[in-house]
Amino acid sequence: MPTNTMAGVSSNRLRTVLDRLPEGDPQLSAGDLKVSKHLPEGVASRELYSDIIRIAWPSFVELILTQLASMVDLMMVGSIGGEANPTLGAQALTAVGLTTQPKFLLMTAFMAMNTGVTALVARYKGIGDREKANLVVRQGLMFTFFTTLVLSVLGIMFARPMVIFMGSTEEHVTVWATQYLQIQMAGFMTMALTSTITAALRGVGDSRSSMIYNLIANIVNVFFNWLLIYGNLGFPEMDVAGASLATVIGQFVAFIISLYIILKGNGFLKLELRLGFMPDRTTLTDMLGIGIPAMIEQLLMRAGMIIFSKTVATLGTTAYATHQVCMNIQALSFMTGQAFAVSATTLMGQSLGKRRPDMAQAYCSRTRRIGMMCAVVLAVIFVFFGGELVAMYNKDPEIIRVGAQILMIVAVLQPLQTSQFIIAGGLRGAGDTRATAVITFITVLLVRPAIAYILINGTNIGLYGAWIAMACDQLLRSTLVLMRYQSGKWKNIRLKSDSTVQAPSSAQRQPESEKQAEVEI
């Protein structure tokens, strides 16, 4: 029986329809296997929807709450100076916004490796090989530790030059942004290690655990925001720096809880420190084979976003503050697509690990249907309540007016954006990260910055030009991702370890007594 405690949530192995289906022919590649449009005998469509939702809903709650915490963060920062001095709040919003792309740029290495962690763990979950799945976890944590150790030092040392490079021209804004970024870099490692643990847990379909520790972290974050931004209960009034420190404290809490969960084990994954963290060539080769294209994709995306952000920064503080608010609200809409992308990544990875491309395809198509319905609901909210959402960040009438109009563009993008996230998540679960890297290069690095530059500098439409450019990017990216998925080439992705993976022996299989204790997610 599952319990309501944290240990109880993470102690049970998560089951899906795949667990009762036979494995496909191991002598054939997934691309050679016949994919039927019909579900296997004894499998109902509602069961697939159930698997999708059971994995997605904890991720959705986690991502929504995380983004809401981020929104509260930004609202509190934007309220610095109060209604009497909204300009000060706009400067604070700009300072935080200037740190976003440098921070994400430094995150690319371990974020990309996490893509490999999720894909590999999902495959080993599909075949039932616990030993190799747990080896992936140890290799991922080792890589993340050493990578972020170096990046943290570099981030602290070069925080100010990075902020200035992003387009900061006001010294007051530069000082705030530098302080914010340096504090973020000081807490970089705990955030990175937590994300690697989360990636591993999602590979086996355990999205509840990360929901729990991120929920707790968000509560801690918001509480310390109240203490450190405004100086309540005797704490120092730290303004923007206080918001950054509160975030780091929340991330540290999440790390401690996630470490406890993975050390205790969830029925399939368990971090055993006694086995050590020595590099394993085969595992690292597979992780890098998936992770390096994903890293290239992320680097290309960040480069494009940096160029895009620098172009927007030329419009001035008020326009950039408006842009930052709209980006933050749009990020809330990302959560639906990303949550269902977790389902697509996990279930497609597990399906291909079990040589069942038919199930991978069936899961992906149903995930897209659910995601599209959610996208329509979000679009309606942005159309009718856009102005009210923007006003929660800053009371400047110009920011509210322009922001509400931009959210109309965001509303139109919802169906495209959500479908794109889900399909791309499925491709990553299959290990097809090279194609998504090429697509990102074309759209984010070339199309979006070029159109934004032309519209902002060649016309008088200002900030609207940047968001029209984003719409063009999303339209083209969605089309290319869909074309790649429909080509079916993702079914042929093979890993180096595939030739050595065998179905677990009777000694390795889960004891029958444990199977009786399993719960369906």
Side-chain angles (χ1 to χ4, degrees):
M1 290 285 294
T3 68
N4 291 325
T5 65
M6 188 180 309
V9 169
S10 61
S11 63
N12 295 293
R13 184 182 171 205
L14 305 173
R15 301 188 64 200
T16 67
V17 169
L18 286 168
D19 291 323
R20 71 171 193 260
L21 293 179
E23 182 185 351
D25 187 345
Q27 301 304 316
L28 298 175
S29 72
D32 294 328
L33 297 173
K34 184 179 179 181
V35 177
S36 172
K37 292 183 180 180
H38 303 289
L39 293 176
E41 185 177 352
V43 175
S45 186
R46 59 179 175 77
E47 293 180 289
L48 272 63
Y49 283 116
S50 180
D51 286 344
I52 292 164
I53 293 172
R54 285 169 178 169
I55 293 175
W57 81 258
S59 294
F60 179 73
V61 172
E62 172 200 341
L63 291 166
I64 284 290
L65 292 176
T66 299
Q67 185 56 31
L68 286 174
S70 174
M71 293 172 75
V72 171
D73 248 4
L74 215 57
M75 290 172 191
M76 289 180 164
V77 167
S79 68
I80 293 174
E83 293 188 22
N85 190 3
T87 300
L88 194 63
Q91 290 176 333
L93 288 170
T94 299
V96 174
L98 289 168
T99 69
T100 301
Q101 295 310 321
K103 183 173 70 174
F104 278 116
L105 181 64
L106 294 173
M107 289 168 60
T108 53
F110 70 83
M111 286 175 65
M113 189 56 71
N114 287 346
T115 302
V117 170
T118 300
L120 287 175
V121 168
R123 286 209 177 197
Y124 292 136
K125 166 65 166 58
I127 199 65
D129 194 332
R130 290 187 187 178
E131 183 179 342
K132 289 194 174 181
N134 284 292
L135 175 60
V136 171
V137 176
R138 296 196 301 277
Q139 296 295 296
L141 289 172
M142 176 196 68
F143 181 90
T144 298
F145 177 83
F146 288 109
T147 302
T148 54
L149 184 63
V150 175
L151 293 176
S152 296
V153 175
L154 293 176
I156 292 171
M157 290 175 58
F158 296 102
R160 183 179 174 88
M162 284 191 287
V163 168
I164 293 173
F165 175 76
M166 286 304 300
S168 179
T169 56
E170 300 178 38
E171 179 61 23
H172 189 56
V173 172
T174 301
V175 170
W176 267 353
T178 301
Q179 292 174 345
Y180 189 94
L181 186 55
Q182 286 179 330
I183 293 170
Q184 290 290 294
M185 290 300 100
F188 204 48
M189 183 175 292
T190 55
M191 182 268 290
L193 292 172
T194 304
S195 71
T196 300
I197 294 172
T198 300
L201 292 172
R202 286 176 175 169
V204 298
D206 181 3
S207 49
R208 294 184 186 180
S209 296
S210 59
M211 177 190 72
I212 291 172
Y213 56 70
N214 281 307
L215 171 60
I216 295 171
N218 290 335
I219 294 171
V220 171
N221 181 8
V222 172
F223 177 66
F224 275 92
N225 271 344
W226 181 72
L227 294 178
L228 297 173
I229 294 177
Y230 309 119
N232 289 311
L233 299 182
F235 281 77
E237 185 178 347
M238 298 175 64
D239 295 327
V240 172
S244 187
L245 182 57
T247 300
V248 169
I249 292 171
Q251 289 169 349
F252 180 75
V253 170
F255 170 67
I256 295 299
I257 300 173
S258 67
L259 185 61
Y260 167 79
I261 288 173
I262 199 72
L263 285 170
K264 186 174 181 65
N266 77 334
F268 192 83
L269 292 181
K270 183 176 182 180
L271 177 62
E272 297 185 74
L273 300 178
R274 63 181 177 81
L275 296 177
F277 295 86
M278 292 298 293
D280 180 83
R281 184 175 180 178
T282 301
T283 303
L284 286 174
T285 298
D286 279 344
M287 289 173 65
L288 290 171
I290 296 172
I292 288 178
M295 182 169 66
I296 293 172
E297 176 189 355
Q298 289 295 319
L299 287 171
L300 293 173
M301 179 175 290
R302 288 309 129 201
M305 290 297 294
I306 287 171
I307 297 170
F308 180 66
S309 296
K310 281 174 63 67
T311 304
V312 176
T314 62
L315 295 171
T317 299
T318 300
Y320 195 85
T322 307
H323 176 70
Q324 179 63 19
V325 168
C326 291
M327 289 288 285
N328 195 250
I329 295 172
Q330 185 195 35
L332 180 65
S333 71
F334 288 170
M335 300 306 104
T336 299
Q338 289 179 344
F340 286 108
V342 170
S343 286
T345 300
T346 299
L347 294 169
M348 286 184 69
Q350 291 182 14
S351 297
L352 294 179
K354 205 163 187 175
R355 304 285 185 191
R356 297 301 302 252
D358 56 334
M359 292 299 295
Q361 197 160 296
Y363 275 124
C364 189
S365 63
R366 285 161 178 79
T367 305
R368 288 177 63 199
R369 291 173 197 167
I370 302 173
M372 291 293 280
M373 288 187 288
C374 295
V376 171
V377 173
L378 284 171
V380 171
I381 292 173
F382 290 145
V383 168
F384 291 101
F385 302 102
E388 288 79 0
L389 289 171
V390 175
M392 294 170 68
Y393 290 81
N394 193 275
K395 301 301 181 184
D396 187 317
E398 181 65 10
I399 291 178
I400 295 172
R401 182 185 68 81
V402 176
Q405 293 173 350
I406 286 174
L407 288 184
M408 295 287 188
I409 300 175
V410 174
V412 174
L413 294 177
Q414 288 309 296
L416 293 173
Q417 174 185 288
T418 300
S419 181
Q420 174 214 129
F421 275 132
I422 292 169
I423 297 174
L427 293 175
R428 293 186 183 101
D432 191 6
T433 51
R434 289 181 175 84
T436 54
V438 173
I439 292 170
T440 298
F441 169 74
I442 295 171
T443 57
V444 182
L445 188 60
L446 300 181
V447 174
R448 184 191 296 191
I451 296 177
Y453 182 84
I454 292 170
L455 292 179
I456 289 175
N457 294 286
T459 69
N460 60 356
I461 62 176
L463 186 59
Y464 300 111
W467 285 83
I468 292 172
M470 189 178 295
C472 294
D473 161 20
Q474 290 284 354
L475 176 60
L476 180 59
R477 201 183 332 170
S478 298
T479 302
L480 294 176
V481 166
L482 180 60
M483 288 173 61
R484 177 64 181 185
Y485 172 75
Q486 290 180 333
S487 75
K489 293 180 179 179
W490 50 271
K491 300 170 191 172
N492 292 310
I493 303 295
R494 298 297 299 272
L495 303 176
K496 185 176 181 180
S497 59
D498 283 349
S499 59
T500 62
V501 172
Q502 302 292 332
S505 66
S506 58
Q508 292 174 305
R509 291 185 188 277
Q510 193 176 13
E512 191 65 29
S513 58
E514 283 187 40
K515 290 182 180 179
Q516 296 300 323
E518 291 175 0
V519 293
E520 292 205 8
I521 56 174

